């Protein structure tokens, strides 16, 4: 296939995949919502979970986004340095978002800051958001896609704690956000926590934590224990589905961390809502693809 045709093909595939993830939630999110529905006793909460499943079915049947807020599109790209389209990737992803905006369709969510106008295409200065991680010697390209909705983005927060505040300080920071803003973010929530040196390193890790499959754990056993403790603590608030009260508040708590400066604890929290529209797809050098987030999908 000629190079230009390859660019066109990948643009179309990414556009279709982004559109698809706006309509169909990933398998792990559906499985977790089903589990929470089974374990719920509160009659109102049960009705709300059932409405969420009906909403998902209607989105599929009517071929429409599962929530009106299709967010700002974000990509985390782990791109092999030998992937044939590496040079075109950034422009291609932007073009795919424009295409998905009109084909899906997606709500127009890119407003130029300071100039205050909506571009109408979901692209603008720095949008879609793209984070690149190069993968040496590889010729494949792994993409995580995410729709960052307004409500679920609002609880996001980052700060640098004094080292003496310790892990108790991290827990307090997360719980303060959950008790003040969690209600508005369409629970049950996926809570991503980043722990690192500074605000930007912690913030990026907290977003990457949201892209991990639900049920996965931090490989460090102390961090994994903290994920469980935070999950229990946030569930104890009893936000329930859509914040109307119930047994669970969260789909899960994921912590991602790096080593850090001894004098600081950078911490950040990022939140995904029940309509957690995350996609995960891998392309090989010939653009054969494997979708990991949604079983049995062909684009
Ligand atoms: S928080 Fe999620 S479900 Fe609620 S309006 Fe925003 S994108 Fe939709």
């Amino acid at each position: 296939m000629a190079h230009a045709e390859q660019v066109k093909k990948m643009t179309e595939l990414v556009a279709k995949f982004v559109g698809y993830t706006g309509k169909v939630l990933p398998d792990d999110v559906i499985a977790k919502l089903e589990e929470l529905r089974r374990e719920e006793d509160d009659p109102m909460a049960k009705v709300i979970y059932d409405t969420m499943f009906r909403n998902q079915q209607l989105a599929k049947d009517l071929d429409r986004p599962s929530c009106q807020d299709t967010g700002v599109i974000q990509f985390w790209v782990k791109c092999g340095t030998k992937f044939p389209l590496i040079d075109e990737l950034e422009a291609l992803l932007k073009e795919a978002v424009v295409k998905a905006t009109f084909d899906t369709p997606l709500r127009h969510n890119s407003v130029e800051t300071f100039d205050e106008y909506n571009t109408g295409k979901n692209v603008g200065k720095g949008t879609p958001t793209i984070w690149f991680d190069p993968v040496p010697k590889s010729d494949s390209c792994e993409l995580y896609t995410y729709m960052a909705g307004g409500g679920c983005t609002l609880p996001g927060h980052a700060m640098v704690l004094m080292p003496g505040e310790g892990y108790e300080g991290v827990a307090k920071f997360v719980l303060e956000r959950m008790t003040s803003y969690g209600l508005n973010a369409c629970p049950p929530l996926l809570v991503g926590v980043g722990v690192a040196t500074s605000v930007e390193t912690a913030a990026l890790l907290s977003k990457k934590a949201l892209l991990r499959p639900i049920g996965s754990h931090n490989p460090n056993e102390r961090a994994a224990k903290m994920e469980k403790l935070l999950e229990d603590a946030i569930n104890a608030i009893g936000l329930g589905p859509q914040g109307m009260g119930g047994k669970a508040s969260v789909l899960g708590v994921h912590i991602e961390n790096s080593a850090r400066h001894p004098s600081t604890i950078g911490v950040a929290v990022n939140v995904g809502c029940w309509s957690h529209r995350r996609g995960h797809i891998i392309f090989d050098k010939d653009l054969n693809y494997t979708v990991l987030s949604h079983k049995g999908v062909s684009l």
Side-chain angles (χ1 to χ4, degrees), residues 26-274:
D27 301 338
D28 59 332
V29 173
I30 291 289
K32 188 67 189 184
L33 288 169
E34 285 171 350
E35 180 192 317
L36 297 181
R37 165 68 178 84
R38 275 195 305 276
E39 289 172 357
E40 186 53 77
D41 301 320
D42 183 273
M44 169 73 96
K46 284 183 185 179
V47 169
I48 297 171
Y49 280 121
D50 289 346
T51 308
M52 288 170 173
F53 293 125
R54 182 165 150 70
N55 179 81
Q56 284 314 113
Q57 191 57 48
L58 285 170
K60 225 183 219 173
D61 294 349
L62 301 173
D63 195 27
R64 289 181 191 166
S66 78
C67 175
Q68 39 74 38
D69 184 357
T70 50
V72 161
I73 311 298
Q74 302 187 318
F75 295 101
W76 176 24
V77 190
K78 293 185 191 170
C79 188
T81 53
K82 307 215 178 312
F83 184 63
L85 303 186
I86 189 168
D87 288 342
E88 289 79 14
L89 209 47
E90 191 171 350
L92 174 166
L93 292 175
K94 209 162 184 166
E95 187 53 36
V97 169
V98 176
K99 192 163 167 43
T101 298
F102 295 107
D103 292 352
T104 310
L106 304 175
R107 198 174 85 177
H108 303 163
N109 278 335
S110 191
V111 172
E112 289 294 4
T113 308
F114 295 116
D115 299 328
E116 294 305 308
Y117 72 92
N118 193 320
T119 67
K121 293 189 279 190
N122 273 321
V123 298
K125 183 178 179 185
T127 58
T129 318
I130 306 172
W131 298 287
F132 271 104
D133 281 346
V135 183
K137 298 195 174 90
S138 162
D139 60 6
S140 62
C141 178
E142 185 171 354
L143 282 184
Y144 289 87
T145 66
Y146 180 62
M147 289 185 172
C152 49
T153 299
L154 273 171
H157 198 45
M159 69 181 295
V160 181
L161 305 177
M162 294 291 278
E165 292 181 76
Y167 296 99
E168 292 84 353
V170 172
K172 185 166 173 263
F173 170 84
V174 174
L175 287 167
E176 275 176 1
R177 296 311 283 181
M178 291 302 105
T179 50
S180 52
Y181 290 92
L183 194 67
N184 306 114
C186 294
L189 310 170
L190 185 59
V191 182
V193 180
V195 184
T197 291
S198 48
V199 281
E200 82 288 356
T201 51
L204 190 51
L205 288 171
S206 71
K207 177 53 64 83
K208 287 182 175 177
L210 293 184
L211 303 176
R212 253 172 48 193
I214 293 172
S216 62
H217 301 289
N218 188 297
N220 180 296
E221 70 181 48
R222 292 190 185 92
K225 185 175 176 197
M226 188 161 186
E227 289 178 337
K228 177 76 176 85
L229 290 171
L230 282 172
E231 182 173 334
D232 291 346
I234 304 168
N235 278 338
I237 303 167
L239 294 177
Q242 290 295 5
M244 299 293 280
K247 262 190 177 173
S249 306
V250 296
L251 299 165
V253 177
H254 294 172
I255 298 176
E256 287 291 309
N257 63 286
S258 69
R260 58 173 219 283
H261 191 288
S263 306
T264 67
I265 304 176
V267 59
V269 67
N270 234 312
V271 167
C273 56
W274 77 269

